[in-house]
Amino acid sequence: MNQRISSQRPPRPAHPAAYFGRPQAGWRERLFIIIFEADTVPGRVFDFSLIAAILLSVTVVMLDSIESIGLRYGSVLHALEWFFTIIFTLEYISRLSCVRHPMRYATSFFGIIDLLSIVPAYAALFMPELHALIDFRLLRLLRMFRLLKLTSYIEEYSMLGNALLASRRKIFIFLSVVAILVILNGTLMYVIEGGPGTPFSSIPTAVYFAITAVTTVGFGDITPRTDLGRAITSLSMLIGWSILAVPTGIITSEMTLQRVQPKPTTRTCPECLASGLDADANFCKGCGTRLPHYEHD
């Protein structure tokens, strides 16, 4: 029984860098500090440079999709695309080489995103037969996944993600209430407006109309014809305006709670991989190991 408990995989630390494993010394530790611990000048330069590279590479992809620009500057855009591909390839290799558990990073969310951002270029180069199996534009559009890389460099993305995660139960309850309202509304509209040869030919179609009414979109492809139907639709639109404020308030309250909490550091223990350690701590609060010097500004 004890062997079974001891063989269980330890829980994943909250900080991704702690989960991947920090080297204890040498060039790998210095590279780890620059890439994963953005509390130093080199770390911030690394992050800002990658943000600029991501935005510029996506801009190149978007410009290449414009036929007139692609025909005129195709060679320049192609060269720029390979330039950014090489940069992201070196970044991917650097991340794998500076962690103690490279497979953990390779199979993580951002590791997969990093791989997807460089795979299309190499796939088109080494496997041209893919053109016959899949539209090449799909491979090229996969490069837009580079935008998701931004979430690992900008702190506010993490704050928004944590707020959404903390309020997920409230948002789920809110969406379930909205779903109940639109189903009842659609059923009522089907009873009032429905019939053979009418736009409200079924309950799902009426529910679709109720959703467009509550969200105040109003595509105009389906419209009520009776006075009672128009009155119910008008009421649904007014309710829709009030509904919009609910999820905004839920998420805003969670983000406010996160702002008043102390800002955690990216410092990690090299032994137990505990993260968020105090900048002035000499020993790890989890295992008691003496901590290396914390490089920050």
Side-chain angles (χ1 to χ4, degrees), residues 198-201 205 208-213 217-225:
T198 63
F200 297 85
S201 57
T205 302
Y208 157 77
F209 169 77
I211 294 175
T212 61
V217 175
F219 292 113
D221 52 344
I222 303 176
T223 56
R225 300 181 181 277

Side-chain angles (χ1 to χ4, degrees), residues 32-287:
F32 181 94
I33 293 173
I34 293 175
I35 292 178
F36 287 101
E37 297 185 356
D39 293 333
T40 62
V41 172
R44 286 195 291 270
V45 170
F46 175 82
D47 286 352
F48 292 148
S49 299
L50 277 177
I51 290 173
I54 292 169
L55 295 177
L56 289 174
S57 66
V58 172
T59 302
V60 169
V61 175
M62 297 174 66
L63 291 176
D64 193 29
S65 66
I66 303 175
E67 185 177 0
S68 59
I69 296 179
L71 292 175
R72 187 172 182 178
Y73 303 102
S75 58
V76 176
L77 296 176
H78 183 71
L80 288 174
E81 172 55 32
W82 272 109
F83 171 74
F84 291 121
T85 299
I86 293 173
I87 289 179
F88 295 135
T89 302
L90 294 176
E91 179 219 355
Y92 184 66
I93 295 174
S94 299
R95 289 182 180 274
L96 293 178
S97 61
C98 73
V99 295
R100 289 194 292 178
H101 307 288
M103 284 304 299
R104 290 186 181 180
Y105 179 78
T107 56
S108 66
F109 173 76
F110 289 114
I112 295 174
I113 293 301
D114 289 343
L115 186 61
L116 286 176
S117 67
I118 61 178
V119 160
Y122 294 111
L125 179 64
F126 295 108
M127 294 182 291
E129 63 273 9
L130 284 177
H131 293 208
L133 300 177
I134 188 171
D135 192 342
F136 181 56
R137 288 177 299 175
L138 179 59
L139 286 176
R140 297 169 68 86
L141 288 177
L142 284 178
R143 294 177 294 180
M144 300 299 286
F145 276 98
R146 292 172 184 169
L147 283 174
L148 296 179
K149 288 162 60 67
L150 289 175
T151 59
S152 62
Y153 304 122
I154 301 179
E155 181 183 354
E156 284 73 15
Y157 281 119
S158 299
M159 181 182 297
L160 178 60
N162 293 333
L164 291 173
L165 187 63
S167 57
R168 62 186 183 277
R169 289 178 60 88
K170 298 176 183 177
I171 294 177
F172 174 77
I173 296 300
F174 166 75
L175 291 178
S176 64
V177 172
V178 174
I180 292 173
L181 289 177
V182 296
I183 290 175
L184 293 177
N185 193 336
T187 303
L188 184 60
M189 291 297 295
Y190 173 74
V191 173
I192 297 173
E193 299 279 346
T198 63
F200 297 85
S201 57
S202 64
I203 292 180
T205 302
V207 169
Y208 157 77
F209 169 77
I211 294 175
T212 61
V214 170
T215 56
T216 67
V217 175
F219 292 113
D221 52 344
I222 303 176
T223 56
R225 300 181 181 277
T226 64
D227 294 336
L228 182 57
R230 294 191 183 97
I232 295 176
T233 302
S234 301
L235 181 61
S236 300
M237 293 178 180
L238 294 176
I239 293 175
W241 278 105
S242 60
I243 287 177
L244 290 175
V246 177
T248 304
I250 294 174
I251 298 173
T252 301
S253 63
E254 293 293 341
M255 294 186 68
T256 303
L257 290 176
Q258 292 189 27
R259 285 186 177 276
V260 299
Q261 295 177 354
K263 180 181 178 180
T265 67
T266 57
R267 193 180 190 186
T268 58
C269 174
E271 291 298 326
C272 69
L273 304 181
S275 62
L277 303 178
D278 295 336
D280 58 350
N282 294 321
F283 298 91
C284 175
K285 59 184 178 182
C287 65

